[in-house]
Amino acid sequence: MSYDTIRKEDPELYGYMKSELERQQNGLEMIPSENFTSYAVMEASGSILTNKYSEGYPGRRYYGGNEFIDKIETLAIERAKKLFGVPYANVQPYSGSPANLAVYLALCSVGDTIMGLSLTDGGHLTHGFKESVTGQLFNSVPYHVKEDGSIDFDELRRNVKEHKPKLMWVGYTAYPREFPFEKFAEIADECGAYLVADISHISGLVAGGAHKSPVEYAHIVTTTTHKTLRGPRGAMIMVTDKGLRKDPDLDKKISKTIIPGMQGGPHNHTTAGIAVALLEASRPEFRQYAEQIVKNAKALSDEFSRKGIKMVSGGTDTHLILVDLTNFGVGLGIFAQEGLDIAGITVNKNTIPREPNSPFYPSGIRLGTPALTTRGMKEGEMREIGGLIAEVINEVKEYRLPQGKEGRQEYLDKFRAEIRANAKLADIRRRVVAISSRFPLYDGMKMW
Ligand code: DSN
């Protein structure tokens, strides 16, 4: 895969793709929902399989010519069922948000009460956020975390008693501790709600045995395929044995909601990429990978503690760390993210529980170790990188956004000019490039 044809046919696009590759190669990718897929996954998802329409399911397609597509989708389905230990898997959702929407549409009527963790406390848009259709079509009663960063089960139990939800979400995008599947199952079973585990962030950890599985507790499990699972951008919906005991038609309801309910032709190139990723995730090396992700996150959080960097819940059990910057300054997330960007370390600004600032200018940063672990980095590198992050925070910690909108853009422009000219950040970037070059990305692959 040389991209020679793109280079000749579309030099402008080629240039951007090459720059993006170099950015990925030379920097430290620490957004916890990102990863580097294998070359085999990229071959599958960049293949001729994109040419085919195949509305329906294996053996039941609307169009002809699907004999091989049927085999590919069946392979992906069977691998998913085996890896996660479920009786039903749908590999067609285009991504995580449509997968979650399909679950609502299969199980709920408009106006039903649903519960998910509040977005600003670490939940997801599709778990009932007010600006998402999931918060508009359904009566969303969010739950929250306590001061210590753990789920507030007292509030949850009170709300469940009062509002009797039809569906509850357990699964998060910015929650650093082990997901409490059993406690949710207890509460959902008591009130008769469907429990849906969204394991998008941790599905690779679950597959690799580094996080407990939700399968015995939830009725349905959804996941994206491109985070810790290290596949192409896509998603899956799985129904568990427990789900089928509650509703023997649950699998059929999900199938029907995906197509003809919500989607058209599946993205067969993605399905093939998912099949490859599931095979890779079933290998012993993947178990080591999953364990190392968590060891790396713990090493990084230990380094943060040593440097006086506060973390929500004080650390992590997973791949993810949520840094609380309020001891340096409220609303510092944007300055930390952009300072780190200049240094070649990619993270995202994030709200912290009980965020004292606007969600657009939050007080935290979210980071994680899946992508760096894919490159082969271990605890030693995490300590080194933790030290670099602390140095960057030190460079930006005095910046404060003006209170109102007035003057905000000018302040940000000035900040951006200053960090671009900052010699210390330039020096950190050189050290970042040196670390990255010790762990070549797609080493030996003739990509360009
Ligand atoms: N955008 C994903 C994440 O970063 O967690 C969630 O959809």
Side-chain angles (χ1 to χ4, degrees):
M1 203 196 283
S2 65
Y3 293 103
D4 272 350
T5 316
I6 297 179
R7 183 163 55 79
K8 283 184 206 127
E9 285 202 5
D10 191 342
E12 185 180 2
L13 174 67
Y14 172 80
Y16 300 142
M17 288 176 71
K18 191 166 186 309
S19 300
E20 172 59 13
L21 176 69
E22 284 162 6
R23 188 194 68 81
Q24 292 187 16
Q25 283 175 328
N26 295 330
L28 295 172
E29 183 49 73
M30 299 189 75
I31 291 177
S33 49
E34 294 185 11
N35 212 331
F36 303 115
T37 65
S38 71
Y39 205 62
V41 166
M42 285 194 288
E43 274 185 359
S45 51
S47 69
I48 45 87
L49 297 170
T50 194
N51 297 337
K52 188 74 194 101
Y53 257 127
S54 50
E55 284 92 334
Y57 290 99
R60 291 177 287 134
R61 305 287 185 182
Y62 197 71
Y63 296 170
N66 275 302
E67 58 266 45
F68 303 114
I69 297 298
D70 277 3
K71 289 199 188 316
I72 290 166
E73 189 170 330
T74 303
L75 197 61
I77 290 169
E78 292 307 318
R79 285 176 181 172
K81 282 161 62 177
K82 187 159 176 228
L83 187 64
F84 289 97
V86 290
Y88 169 91
N90 191 311
V91 296
Q92 293 195 12
Y94 296 146
S95 204
S97 298
N100 287 353
L101 190 58
V103 171
Y104 285 107
L105 298 178
L107 303 183
C108 300
S109 305
V110 169
D112 278 350
T113 297
I114 60 105
M115 290 186 178
L117 181 62
S118 151
L119 181 71
T120 49
D121 281 17
H124 190 253
L125 288 167
T126 59
H127 298 178
F129 182 56
K130 59 182 186 311
E131 305 280 341
S132 149
V133 288
T134 63
Q136 291 166 6
L137 294 180
F138 306 103
N139 174 37
S140 172
V141 182
Y143 54 89
H144 299 88
V145 294
K146 295 186 289 189
E147 199 72 45
D148 66 1
S150 65
I151 307 289
D152 186 344
F153 281 104
D154 292 338
E155 179 210 34
L156 179 69
R157 281 185 187 280
R158 269 197 314 276
N159 282 339
V160 164
K161 226 176 187 175
E162 187 181 336
H163 298 280
K164 301 187 179 44
K166 181 84 180 278
L167 183 158
M168 295 171 71
W169 290 98
V170 53
Y172 315 110
T173 64
Y175 185 76
R177 293 298 177 181
E178 190 161 81
F179 292 9
F181 299 130
E182 329 70 322
K183 279 202 175 175
F184 272 85
E186 213 181 284
I187 296 169
D189 290 347
E190 265 170 40
C191 74
Y194 282 105
L195 183 63
V196 188
D198 180 346
I199 59 166
S200 293
H201 262 259
I202 58 160
S203 52
L205 303 184
V206 170
H211 189 291
K212 87 164 79 81
S213 165
V215 163
E216 108 183 51
Y217 305 105
H219 302 104
I220 290 185
V221 178
T222 64
T223 182
T224 47
T225 46
H226 48 272
K227 297 187 174 89
T228 47
L229 196 56
R230 221 163 55 177
R233 302 197 81 82
M236 305 193 294
I237 303 173
M238 296 176 273
V239 176
T240 64
D241 284 314
K242 180 174 174 179
L244 288 179
R245 282 196 299 276
K246 181 172 169 67
D247 178 354
D249 287 333
L250 209 45
D251 50 353
K252 294 174 208 73
K253 286 180 182 166
I254 295 293
S255 296
K256 260 181 72 180
T257 306
I258 288 291
I259 178 154
M262 272 179 63
Q263 296 193 166
H267 294 174
N268 297 308
H269 53 299
T270 302
T271 304
I274 292 173
V276 176
L278 292 168
L279 178 68
E280 291 174 352
S282 68
R283 293 188 175 134
E285 305 89 274
F286 197 86
R287 292 189 86 77
Q288 286 167 17
Y289 167 63
E291 273 168 31
Q292 192 63 47
I293 290 176
V294 177
K295 282 187 198 164
N296 281 354
K298 284 185 190 293
L300 189 61
S301 74
D302 288 347
E303 189 60 23
F304 284 158
S305 295
R306 266 193 292 279
K307 301 280 184 201
I309 294 176
K310 225 164 82 179
M311 288 160 285
V312 172
S313 86
T316 181
D317 297 327
T318 62
H319 62 302
L320 179 147
I321 293 170
L322 187 54
V323 170
D324 172 350
L325 295 162
T326 50
N327 54 336
F328 300 109
V330 164
L332 212 60
I334 188 168
F335 301 111
Q337 175 186 308
E338 295 195 17
L340 286 161
D341 245 339
I342 293 286
I345 301 174
T346 312
V347 306
N348 66 273
K349 61 181 184 295
N350 214 94
T351 51
I352 52 168
R354 296 175 171 70
E355 174 59 57
N357 220 33
S358 126
F360 293 104
Y361 298 100
S363 304
I365 51 171
R366 186 187 70 150
L367 40 79
T369 54
L372 297 187
T373 309
T374 293
R375 292 184 80 157
M377 295 185 196
K378 296 228 162 72
E379 290 91 325
E381 285 76 37
M382 296 306 118
R383 287 189 281 275
E384 210 177 331
I385 292 165
L388 295 180
I389 292 172
E391 287 184 46
V392 173
I393 292 173
N394 198 42
E395 286 304 298
V396 299
K397 69 179 184 206
E398 305 301 338
Y399 287 98
R400 294 289 178 278
L401 212 58
Q403 283 292 321
K405 275 195 177 145
E406 196 127 319
R408 184 186 288 162
Q409 197 51 51
E410 290 76 4
Y411 189 86
L412 282 172
D413 290 345
K414 186 167 163 285
F415 159 72
R416 286 170 184 146
E418 284 174 10
I419 54 173
R420 274 197 299 274
N422 183 310
K424 175 83 187 176
L425 293 180
D427 174 57
I428 298 170
R429 186 178 189 99
R430 278 189 286 278
R431 284 142 71 195
V432 161
V433 172
I435 298 172
S436 301
S437 63
R438 302 207 306 263
F439 298 88
L441 180 60
Y442 300 121
D443 186 28
M445 295 170 182
K446 289 197 178 55
M447 290 191 67
W448 301 101

